[in-house]
Amino acid sequence: MELINGNEIAATIVAELKEEVSLLQGKKPCITFIRVGDDPASVSYVNKKNKIAAEIGMTPKLEQFPLDVSKEELFAKIDELNADPSVHGILIQAPLPSHIDAVETFRRVDPGKDVDGFHTVNIGKICQEDETGFVACTPAGIMELLSRSNVSLDGKHVVVLGRSLIVGKPVALLAMQRQSWANATVTVCHSRTTDLPSITRQADVLIAAIGKPEFVTKDMVKPGVVVIDVGINRVADSSRKSGYRLTGDVNFAEVSPLASKITPVPGGVGPMTVAMLMKNTLKAFKLAQA
Ligand code: NDP
């Protein structure tokens, strides 16, 4: 079994971006984060993204709003950032409060600044295999992890667990592209799928993104499978100072002896998501200069 080290691969991408940004004359890419409320996980995610953007030499900015911000006020800020030529990328940190519709908010962002890749236009561009679009960061990170770990998807059966807009759907669309780095046969499973283990056992590559701790067990995979565990779940653990530990959607102890390659949690897909956000921001900057 080979561990796919997301920390290492993400650090390589960050170093590549840093080098590229250092060669830019004059203006630097600017990413603006919008955070609503003080959810500790959101604060920590935005801080992490902010730190990496600064480390690469980009200009990170933060716009904060209280949880009871009105849709009108939030959208006015998005409109202002859309119109500001010094802002190249806009990221709206999820989750948003329930009175603000997330998809409507993603659609408000200028597709050319939508570095999160959730705008309808950018999702459509994945379907059309139009590379001028922005691919959502987690699915893009998964594809990058696979290609940098020399996993070919060509002709393989990729099984995706989960059909969310953020992970499951876009990663399935990417894996089936008519491209040398894709060309997979893809099956997408969800909570209404019957006899899920009989499908997951067919997977050459299994991508688990359902948000259920240690859901995938040894009886659900075939020997030699490549496993990408997207799940980030907090599980109570009194032996930890924090009172919890992070675990994926895959039972690592059971599945890793059967897998040819597998990502750990943490240290697998998570760091890649941030690295790909920075890659998208540099792309947005370049498109704005063209
Ligand atoms: P969502 O909750 O949006 O989607 C979960 C999907 O899993 C749904 O399609 C749901 O089916 C399906 N599902 C739920 N239970 C089952 C089940 N028992 N059997 C089969 N399918 C099931 O989650 P996300 O896609 O946003 O996130 C998934 C996981 O990935 C979470 O742990 C999240 O924290 C993590 N994540 C990690 C990221 C990273 O950077 N590493 C980034 C984003 C997410 P249905 O559609 O029928 O409800």
Side-chain angles (χ1 to χ4, degrees):
M1 183 273 291
E2 190 187 311
L3 206 59
I4 300 180
N5 189 331
N7 281 329
E8 235 171 67
I9 297 174
T12 305
I13 294 169
V14 166
E16 289 167 6
L17 294 172
K18 193 171 175 179
E19 166 75 17
E20 215 179 323
V21 169
S22 75
L23 298 174
L24 296 172
Q25 307 291 328
K27 270 194 293 188
K28 301 287 182 191
C30 166
I31 179 164
T32 300
F33 305 105
I34 297 182
R35 204 187 72 216
V36 179
D38 288 320
D39 166 54
S42 295
V43 171
S44 146
Y45 285 142
V46 169
N47 286 348
K48 175 89 186 160
K49 291 166 186 171
N50 195 79
K51 183 170 161 266
I52 305 249
E55 186 188 322
I56 291 172
M58 296 180 174
T59 310
K61 290 187 180 156
L62 174 62
E63 298 285 350
Q64 298 179 69
F65 292 94
L67 259 187
D68 61 356
V69 65
S70 69
K71 182 177 107 176
E72 290 68 30
E73 197 185 336
L74 183 65
F75 282 17
K77 176 54 75 179
I78 296 173
D79 293 347
E80 184 191 314
L81 296 171
N82 283 343
D84 182 346
S86 72
V87 173
H88 307 101
I90 301 170
L91 178 130
I92 300 157
Q93 183 62 48
L96 289 172
S98 55
H99 66 278
I100 298 178
D101 182 76
V103 171
E104 192 186 351
T105 309
F106 297 148
R107 285 194 193 132
R108 191 76 179 201
V109 176
D110 179 334
K113 297 188 179 188
D114 170 39
V115 286
D116 234 352
F118 297 148
H119 192 287
T120 320
V121 165
N122 285 316
I123 292 166
K125 283 187 176 183
I126 303 183
C127 297
Q128 295 175 340
E129 306 200 8
D130 176 344
E131 290 180 359
T132 63
F134 297 99
V135 175
C137 304
T138 302
I142 293 168
M143 299 309 283
E144 194 83 24
L145 268 186
L146 289 168
S147 77
R148 291 192 189 228
S149 306
N150 300 314
V151 176
S152 165
L153 298 185
D154 204 323
K156 300 282 172 55
H157 189 182
V158 172
V159 175
V160 180
L161 293 187
R163 57 175 165 182
S164 72
L165 175 70
I166 290 169
V167 191
K169 275 192 194 121
V171 85
L173 287 169
L174 288 169
M176 74 169 83
Q177 295 221 343
R178 279 196 196 91
Q179 303 287 342
S180 56
W181 46 265
N183 277 327
T185 302
V186 181
T187 304
V188 181
C189 302
H190 46 78
S191 68
R192 309 285 294 171
T193 300
T194 49
D195 196 8
L196 190 113
S198 73
I199 300 169
T200 55
R201 275 195 295 269
Q202 295 171 35
D204 300 309
V205 177
L206 181 63
I207 300 173
I210 59 174
K212 297 261 182 292
E214 303 186 339
F215 179 88
V216 177
T217 47
K218 63 176 187 242
D219 52 309
M220 293 171 68
V221 297
K222 71 174 177 192
V225 64
V226 174
V227 179
I228 303 292
D229 188 352
V230 187
I232 302 179
N233 307 294
R234 281 184 179 198
V235 176
D237 185 342
S238 54
S239 72
R240 305 280 174 108
K241 214 167 76 183
S242 60
Y244 70 87
R245 68 189 157 86
L246 289 182
T247 183
D249 289 343
V250 176
N251 184 322
F252 188 86
E254 275 190 28
V255 171
S256 58
L258 290 167
S260 58
K261 299 184 189 215
I262 186 167
T263 57
V265 176
V269 177
M272 291 300 289
T273 299
V274 182
M276 299 318 282
L277 175 68
M278 300 305 147
K279 206 166 174 175
N280 276 350
T281 304
L282 182 55
K283 182 175 178 179
F285 173 83
K286 287 184 191 161
L287 288 172
Q289 314 307 306

